[in-house]
Structures are given as C-alpha cells and as structure tokens.
Amino acid sequence: MLRILFFGSIREQLQTSSIDVEYAGEETVSDLMAKLIKKGERWLILEEQDVLVAVNMTLCGKDAVINSGDELAFFPPVTGG
C-alpha cells in the first residue's frame, strides 16, 4: 500500500488531498505517475514537467524507486518573492 499526498494547485485540480493505492512491487515514480494518469483527464496535471515529487519526505527525481509502504507527495514548484 502506498499513501500519495497532493498539495497546492495539484490538490485543487484533483479535488483530493490524498489517496491510498495498492502496491506490490518495485517501480519508479514515473511508472506510478503513468498509472495515475490513466485514471482520467484531471490526472494529466501530473504530466507537467515542473511537478515536484518527494518520497518519504525527501525530494527526488521521477526515476526514484518506490517501495510498498512509502509515502509520496506531489506538489507544484515553490515560488518565492
């Protein structure tokens, strides 16, 4: 099982702050994103190149391997001013 969290504009577009998904094997963040995108049009926001991802509260690339029990978070890029 994986817990996936969504923040900012991603949370707003998906209309949820988190989901739990069944997960049995090793995949990359990119593999999981592809599965989520297949769920429907609103999930296309995950294809945006500037979407950031963290695994277990550590920023990582989309090639990071995830394991059952991990927590993922997707969020838009942080801007300052």
Side-chain angles (χ1 to χ4, degrees):
M1 181 74 66
L2 291 175
R3 166 72 86 171
I4 305 174
L5 308 173
F6 305 102
F7 295 94
S9 59
I10 297 171
R11 178 185 64 224
E12 291 169 12
Q13 182 165 333
L14 296 177
Q15 300 175 343
T16 187
S17 61
S18 67
I19 60 171
D20 292 319
V21 296
E22 291 294 325
Y23 185 79
E26 289 189 7
E27 291 182 326
T28 64
V29 170
S30 182
D31 295 334
L32 180 65
M33 289 173 69
K35 288 180 180 180
L36 292 173
I37 290 165
K38 289 180 183 178
K39 291 174 67 102
E41 186 175 326
R42 67 183 177 151
W43 293 88
L44 291 174
I45 193 168
L46 296 179
E47 284 186 324
E48 293 181 7
Q49 291 183 354
D50 53 356
V51 168
L52 300 175
V53 63
V55 175
N56 298 324
M57 298 184 183
T58 302
L59 280 175
C60 64
K62 293 177 181 149
D63 60 345
V65 175
I66 50 178
N67 298 292
S68 183
D70 285 349
E71 178 183 81
L72 277 71
F74 291 100
F75 49 97
V78 178
T79 59

